[in-house]
Amino acid sequence: MKTKANVFSNLDITVTFNPCVCIHADHCAKELSNVFRDSVIPWIDLEAASTKKIIKQVKKCPSGALQFYVNKDVA
């Protein structure tokens, strides 16, 4: 069975999560638990921390299961 990556957005960034790639190192949940929550759905809350902190944490993902991109202004 194929699993689609999860997509979470706010005004600044979009974070994607690919569960098939995740190695469950738990860096995200342990280091920024107000954003990456393990007992609440949706489990990623991009409003719970600054964009800068979220980007810093996503970059620490050892498997690459978490990725981000900056949303462009729509004019």
Side-chain angles (χ1 to χ4, degrees):
M1 175 170 64
K2 288 187 178 182
T3 303
K4 292 185 179 181
N6 297 294
V7 179
F8 304 88
S9 293
N10 65 16
L11 293 176
D12 300 321
I13 61 172
T14 296
V15 173
T16 61
F17 171 67
N18 185 337
C20 295
V21 174
C22 184
I23 61 171
H24 304 286
D26 288 334
H27 293 293
C28 57
K30 288 179 183 172
E31 296 176 19
L32 198 58
S33 61
N34 53 328
V35 174
F36 301 98
R37 307 165 301 173
D38 58 5
S39 61
V40 180
I41 296 174
W43 78 278
I44 296 178
D45 179 8
L46 296 181
E47 302 302 323
S50 70
T51 297
K52 186 176 179 178
K53 285 183 180 181
I54 295 168
I55 290 171
K56 185 177 177 181
Q57 190 61 49
V58 168
K59 287 180 175 181
K60 292 180 181 180
C61 181
S63 67
L66 289 170
Q67 297 287 318
F68 79 94
Y69 60 89
V70 177
N71 298 335
K72 296 187 181 204
D73 292 340
V74 178

